[in-house]
Structures are given as structure tokens and as C-alpha cells.
Amino acid sequence: MKYYLSLLLVCFCFTIQSQDLTYSTQDLEINKLIDGTLLTPNDNDKPKLAIIIAGSGPTDRNGNQNFMKNNSLKKLAESLTNKGIATFRYDKRIVKQILKNKVDPNIKFDDFVTDAISVIDYFKEKNKYSQIYVIGHSQGSLVGMLAAKGKADGFISLAGAGQSIDEVITEQISAMDPSLIDATKKAFKSLKEGKAITDYPQPLAPVFRADVQPFIMNWMQYNPQEVIKSLDIPILIINGTSDLQVSVDEAQLLKDASETSEIKIIEKMNHVLFIIEGDQLVNSKSYNESSRKISEELITTISSFILK
């Protein structure tokens, strides 16, 4: 009797949880390189769709990498879908390549743009969505604005740089070790001219090693200010004051380049969308703290922009 009672309670609890869900979940393969998760509101036959593009590195659909699990993009997707917006988030192609132990050594920045365009086209062809918005986080901001041009109905830059990557890296190195500035500028000048380099200080190897140079050459040809200026769609630019990687000044550069865009600076929000009450160490540790909630102000700002 106790066994059957326990079983009934389990079934009852499962039913209640299912009834509480406001969306359905579907894992999709867009093509042989791109897998992702679609969340669809249950009460809307033709919702708006937000496509979420992750930042730099081997970042998966949830915003995680090896040894860095925060689930920030998963939380963003779920929160927006609870507001009535369908969301699709996907693993960067390199994630699938790593899992299959077949990493392409010739991967380019443009490959990420190609992937984002493929995702947009996939959903446009479905004709199930009233509008399609692109949300690009960090490196995904530039990827997203390039992919959104002529294809999406709106664009959201989330912690995106306003300068080309060579300028961003030069600023970062300047802040860490001013003695490396001249060597950094010299290296980037050569790369800009399409010339590979071998003469650089060892501390700069993560940026300028031979296998990274083609990717950087490709990436640095894009100026985010010029790209965002070319978009003829509603634009929202968001940054947090506690972002250790992308300052609010970068957001302002994008805003200045796009007169019709909207900008939102969220107090104490960091790069992985958490509100930080504490010092830089607390901030850094949060990158691997998946129990944290993302900013409520962020969710409200994005959902209001998309649904208005």
C-alpha cells in the first residue's frame, strides 16, 4: 500500500510540475555543425523569436565552457520564454568539433557569422514566428549584427565591444602591462597588412601564436561601429557596470554610431549577466557559480524591447 501511495504522489507531483511549465523544449540540429535548443511558449501560435549567440571561446548553448559553468544564456532563454518570447540558443561549431575530436584548425571568425545566418534562415523558412530578433553576447554581438543585417527584425547587443578586436586587445594589454604596448601595436600592424608574424614577446603568445593569427586577421577587419551603423532595424545596446571584460564605454561607442538605437546600462551587472555585490574576486568567481540568478532588470529590458 505504501508503495502505491508513493507512486501516486510521484505521478501527482510530476503532473503539477508539467502544468506549471509555460513553454515546450525541443533540441534541434540546424545543420551538421550547429545544434541547439528551442523554447516555445505554450500559449502563442506565432510568437516572436529571439536567437541567442554566445561569446568567444568554445562556448555552448548555455553560456558554459570547460571549468566555467554559469548557465547564463540558458537562464536568459528560459526567462525570456517565460515572458512569451520563443528562444533558440545553440552551441558554437567548435563545441561539436571538440566533442568529436575533430577541431578545424582553419576556423575563421566569418564561420561564426555563417552559422548565425544559417540559424536565422532556418527559422525564417519555418514561417512560424511573427518576428525574429538576434541577441549577441560579447563576441556574439559582432557576429549577430553582421548576421542580422537584411535578415532579422531587431538586434540586441549584450556586452558587445564597440571597437575592433585589435583595439580592444591593445587596451587590455595596456592596462595589464604597458611595457608590451609597442610590441602589440607592431604585431597588429603587420596582421592588418596580411603579414604573419613570429617576432613578439612570449607573454603575447596567446594572442599572436601562429595558429591564432588567421582568426585574428579575419576578426579585426570588422569595426563594430561601422557595422551597427549599417543596420536598419530596432537596436538595443546593453552593458553592465560590473563587467570586467567589456566596459560601458564600449556600449556608448555603439550607441554613438547608431543614432536610433536604445541603450541600457545596468548597475552592478557583470559579463555573465549576474548582479555583483562585492569585489573583483567575487565577480570572477561568479563565472563558475551556476546557482546565481541573472539580472531581473536585464530580462525586463530585453522582453519589453522585443514585445513592444
Side-chain angles (χ1 to χ4, degrees), residues 17-284:
Q17 289 168 358
S18 297
Q19 288 174 348
D20 284 346
L21 289 177
T22 60
Y23 57 82
S24 60
T25 303
Q26 182 182 6
D27 287 334
L28 295 175
E29 183 179 75
I30 302 300
N31 55 43
K32 66 180 181 179
L33 294 168
I34 300 300
D35 299 327
T37 299
L38 175 68
L39 304 182
T40 307
N42 292 334
D43 58 354
N44 193 335
D45 291 335
K46 200 165 187 178
K48 294 184 179 183
L49 172 69
I51 297 169
I52 301 172
I53 303 173
S56 59
T59 310
D60 69 15
R61 69 191 74 182
N62 297 327
N64 302 328
Q65 298 182 19
N66 283 342
F67 311 111
M68 189 188 79
K69 184 176 181 180
N70 51 65
N71 283 331
S72 56
L73 299 186
K74 178 182 180 182
K75 293 174 184 182
L76 176 61
E78 292 174 343
S79 298
L80 292 178
T81 305
N82 277 324
K83 295 285 188 180
I85 301 164
T87 60
F88 181 76
R89 63 191 194 276
Y90 62 93
D91 300 332
K92 294 177 70 176
R93 67 163 63 188
I94 195 169
V95 173
K96 197 167 186 176
Q97 291 175 353
I98 290 172
L99 290 173
K100 292 187 173 184
N101 200 27
K102 293 182 178 179
V103 176
D104 180 3
N106 300 312
I107 194 168
K108 299 287 197 305
F109 178 83
D110 282 342
D111 292 328
F112 297 140
V113 179
T114 297
D115 294 340
I117 290 171
S118 296
V119 172
I120 297 171
D121 287 344
Y122 176 91
F123 287 106
K124 284 176 74 75
E125 289 169 8
K126 295 295 181 184
N127 197 29
K128 291 182 178 179
Y129 307 96
S130 57
Q131 288 185 315
I132 294 178
Y133 282 69
V134 171
I135 302 174
H137 178 251
S138 193
Q139 182 194 75
S141 170
L142 179 55
V143 172
M145 67 177 80
L146 286 164
K149 187 173 181 179
K151 290 182 175 290
D153 298 290
F155 171 69
I156 298 165
S157 172
L158 186 51
Q163 304 177 82
S164 60
I165 189 59
D166 55 310
E167 293 172 327
V168 171
I169 292 174
T170 300
E171 277 194 6
Q172 290 174 344
I173 290 173
S174 175
M176 291 186 296
D177 189 347
S179 69
L180 294 172
I181 285 299
D182 288 343
T184 301
K185 289 181 177 179
K186 180 182 176 183
F188 275 128
K189 183 176 182 295
S190 293
L191 293 181
K192 220 169 231 182
E193 295 169 354
K195 301 173 186 174
I197 54 172
T198 56
D199 183 22
Y200 53 82
Q202 185 57 34
L204 297 179
V207 179
F208 296 120
R209 22 172 245 270
D211 59 326
V212 175
Q213 289 180 35
F215 186 90
I216 292 288
M217 281 186 196
N218 184 203
W219 187 359
M220 66 191 286
Q221 72 177 295
Y222 296 110
N223 181 339
Q225 294 170 62
E226 293 299 322
V227 178
I228 202 168
K229 189 186 298 184
S230 70
L231 297 183
D232 188 23
I233 51 178
I235 297 170
L236 172 63
I237 300 160
I238 303 175
N239 221 96
T241 61
S242 293
D243 194 319
L244 296 174
Q245 294 170 249
V246 181
S247 74
V248 295
D249 293 341
E250 299 292 320
Q252 191 60 53
L253 287 173
L254 292 175
K255 168 60 183 169
D256 292 344
S258 176
E259 294 180 1
T260 60
S261 65
E262 300 177 29
I263 187 169
K264 178 69 174 180
I265 304 300
I266 299 178
E267 291 296 320
K268 298 183 179 179
M269 187 178 80
N270 75 353
H271 194 68
V272 290
L273 317 181
F274 298 144
I275 298 299
I276 299 300
E277 301 285 353
D279 59 15
Q280 187 168 319
L281 179 60
V282 173
N283 197 335
S284 299

Side-chain angles (χ1 to χ4, degrees), residues 1-9:
M1 183 65 180
K2 288 182 179 179
Y3 171 79
Y4 288 114
L5 182 59
S6 299
L7 185 60
L8 283 171
L9 286 172

Side-chain angles (χ1 to χ4, degrees), residues 279-304:
D279 59 15
Q280 187 168 319
L281 179 60
V282 173
N283 197 335
S284 299
K285 286 176 63 179
S286 74
Y287 282 54
N288 198 34
E289 295 176 341
S290 59
S291 61
R292 286 178 175 265
K293 294 181 179 179
I294 63 171
S295 165
E296 289 290 342
E297 189 175 0
L298 172 70
I299 298 162
T300 300
T301 300
I302 294 177
S303 59
S304 297

